[in-house]
Amino acid sequence: MDAVYGAGKAGGAFDPITFFLQPQTILRLVSWIFSIVIFGCIANEGYINRPNEVEEYCIFNRNQNACNYGVFMGSMAFLCCMAFLALDVYFPQISSVKDRKKAVLADIGVSAFWSFMWFVGFCFLESQPVDNPLREGGDAARAAITFSFFSIFTWAGQSFLAFQRYKLGADSALFSQDYTDPSQDAAGAPYTSFGGDNLESPGGGGGQTNSEGAFDGTGGYQRQDY
């Protein structure tokens, strides 16, 4: 199968250099790193307590939902990036055009969903004032907000690239279905003999007599003297 939906023929050798230089791979790795940063910042330094308190509260306006949202989003985005990286590695081995189409459509939908969720998360975290009386964890909170904002664009970029692959793949699939090789079309056409009905097949009798009769001058051929 020719190149369809951004990959070459199925069964080709895996080239790690080409794979890691692909734009979608770079964006997935960047999103993967951002998810680790967001998860680590909130899980490690997102919970603080006052000097006269024992219980720890979320640094984002003491709202536990804000920290829980950030931790959940970071961990799930991490797993999602790993899953799609594995799919990208396996994608060239998929021989079915329909399966490739499903994978690309899933990439479009999931990436667009995560871009929207990170937009919601950024707005949610940004709206929560940082409660940091001891000035501990403030940098981690700001880092989580910043990388949540960046994640909006990295996931949106993945969705855009997947949509480009879908458009290219749809055109390629349509071409492969409608295209007919001229050499194959000519080979499949019935063969017409030169002499028309005057010539018989080699297996029939009288082939030599008909051949002589076809060139005895009665068929319209006139000899020219020079």
Side-chain angles (χ1 to χ4, degrees):
M1 183 179 64
D2 296 334
V4 179
Y5 293 108
K9 294 182 178 180
F14 175 72
D15 186 1
I17 298 177
T18 303
F19 173 75
F20 284 106
L21 291 179
Q22 291 178 346
Q24 71 264 20
T25 304
I26 296 175
L27 285 178
R28 293 199 204 285
L29 290 174
V30 172
S31 300
W32 180 68
I33 295 173
F34 287 174
S35 65
I36 295 176
V37 172
I38 297 170
F39 172 81
C41 289
I42 298 179
N44 293 331
E45 300 184 33
Y47 297 91
I48 59 174
N49 59 338
R50 298 176 183 273
N52 56 346
E53 296 176 344
V54 178
E55 185 178 359
E56 293 183 342
Y57 294 92
C58 179
I59 194 173
F60 295 103
N61 197 28
R62 301 168 69 88
N63 186 352
Q64 296 294 113
N65 293 329
C67 287
N68 293 338
Y69 185 89
V71 171
F72 175 78
M73 290 289 292
S75 59
M76 293 303 297
F78 171 83
L79 296 176
C80 188
C81 287
M82 295 295 294
F84 272 99
L85 283 172
L87 178 61
D88 289 340
V89 174
Y90 178 71
F91 189 83
Q93 307 301 323
I94 301 176
S95 59
S96 174
V97 176
K98 293 183 179 180
D99 292 341
R100 287 192 176 191
K101 180 180 179 180
K102 292 178 182 179
V104 174
L105 288 176
D107 192 2
I108 296 174
V110 173
S111 298
F113 170 78
W114 275 107
S115 179
F116 172 75
M117 293 302 293
W118 280 121
F119 173 76
V120 174
F122 167 74
C123 295
F124 185 27
L125 296 178
E126 179 65 21
S127 64
Q128 305 295 321
V130 176
D131 184 6
N132 186 22
L134 300 179
R135 300 185 181 278
E136 296 179 358
D139 293 337
R142 286 186 288 271
I145 296 174
T146 301
F147 286 103
S148 296
F149 177 76
F150 291 155
S151 295
I152 300 173
F153 301 99
T154 57
W155 284 99
Q158 294 179 57
S159 181
F160 174 76
L161 292 176
F163 179 71
Q164 293 296 323
R165 292 167 59 195
Y166 173 77
K167 290 177 59 179
L168 179 63
D171 295 339
S172 300
L174 180 63
F175 175 78
S176 62
Q177 292 175 2
D178 295 341
Y179 176 74
T180 302
D181 191 348
S183 62
Q184 296 179 359
D185 185 65
Y191 174 75
T192 304
S193 61
F194 174 78
D197 296 334
N198 294 329
L199 295 179
E200 297 182 358
S201 62
Q208 183 176 0
T209 304
N210 290 337
S211 176
E212 293 175 355
F215 297 98
D216 61 355
T218 61
Y221 174 78
Q222 296 181 0
R223 181 177 179 181
Q224 296 180 2
D225 297 330
Y226 293 91

